[in-house]
């Protein structure tokens, strides 16, 4: 007790003094948190009622992590995923116009203070539906993107995400690539792709490809007509 009092104004609250839990729990509606940690310095965590969660990096406008079970702990501007069955996604931006299949995918270096704005990216916030599920908004060059995740159940009662990306382009857009996932091995499996423990399914007519490397990358080539184009992806794990 004397040692504690001797710290004066620097003394921290003793363990057990606060009854406030640092764990965010999800019940019947979506729960969100923001901060450093699981998804970088400007991460957004979203926990869904079907007990699956995601972390979105609003600095690089990219999905960073999926997981199941418990949602997250929060503490002093940080949040950290605490669930199981985690699926990590590679660092870097989601879309890029590759000059060749040998070109490195852009990522942020220690002194790249303009990244990813120098690649045409701009984060524009999010809005919520009536169940408080967010739609993230950002731009890639002239393309406005709305990025929405919905938690659903399959025939066996297992939860999965259906992601809907809506692209709005003022003019027709030349070929660019969407890096959907990466893993030590990525291979086609019937009408889906297997990237480690993650199964990825695209809407009809979408043809993806695997870029060799360590790890391998699942790339989806995209060309857009002027106006609105919608892309659906399912993540099952």
């Amino acid at each position: 007790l004397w040692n504690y009092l001797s710290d004066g104004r620097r003394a921290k609250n003793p363990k057990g003094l606060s009854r406030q839990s640092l764990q965010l729990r999800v019940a019947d509606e979506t729960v969100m948190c923001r901060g450093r940690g699981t998804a970088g310095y400007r991460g957004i965590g979203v926990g869904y009622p079907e007990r699956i969660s995601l972390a979105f990096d609003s600095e690089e406008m990219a999905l960073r992590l999926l997981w199941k079970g418990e949602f997250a702990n929060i503490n002093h501007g940080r949040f950290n995923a605490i669930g199981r069955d985690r699926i990590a996604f590679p660092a870097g931006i989601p879309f890029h116009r590759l000059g060749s299949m040998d070109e490195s995918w852009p990522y942020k270096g220690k002194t790249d203070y303009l990244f990813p704005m120098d690649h045409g990216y701009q984060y524009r916030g999010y809005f919520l539906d009536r169940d408080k599920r967010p739609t993230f908004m950002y731009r890639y060059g002239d393309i406005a993107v709305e990025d929405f995740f919905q938690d659903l159940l399959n025939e066996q009662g297992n939860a999965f995400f259906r992601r809907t990306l809506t692209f709005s382009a003022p003019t027709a857009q030349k070929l660019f690539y969407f890096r959907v996932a990466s893993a030590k091995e990525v291979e086609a499996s019937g009408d889906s792709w297997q990237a480690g423990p993650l199964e990825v399914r695209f809407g009809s007519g979408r043809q993806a490809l695997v870029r060799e490397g360590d790890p391998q990358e699942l790339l989806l080539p995209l060309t857009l007509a002027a106006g609105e184009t919608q892309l659906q992806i399912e993540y099952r794990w």
Side-chain angles (χ1 to χ4, degrees), residues 79-114:
F79 79 88
N80 292 286
I82 56 175
R84 65 184 192 282
D85 301 333
R86 301 184 183 195
I87 302 293
F89 294 82
I93 51 181
F95 313 120
H96 185 57
R97 287 185 167 90
L98 288 168
S100 73
M101 285 295 114
D102 296 324
E103 180 182 325
S104 297
W105 198 268
Y107 69 96
K108 183 176 182 177
K110 290 184 178 180
T111 58
D112 291 343
Y113 303 114
L114 295 179

Side-chain angles (χ1 to χ4, degrees), residues 98 100-102 105 175-182 186-188 192-195 200 202 206-212 216-222:
L98 288 168
S100 73
M101 285 295 114
D102 296 324
W105 198 268
L175 174 68
F176 63 97
Y177 292 91
F178 177 19
R179 186 173 58 168
V180 179
S182 69
V186 179
E187 56 186 6
S192 63
W193 291 86
Q194 200 70 37
V200 180
F202 299 105
R206 297 289 180 182
Q207 299 295 322
L209 58 91
V210 177
R211 185 160 77 145
E212 296 299 328
Q216 295 181 340
E217 297 173 331
L218 178 61
L219 302 182
L220 183 65
L222 293 172

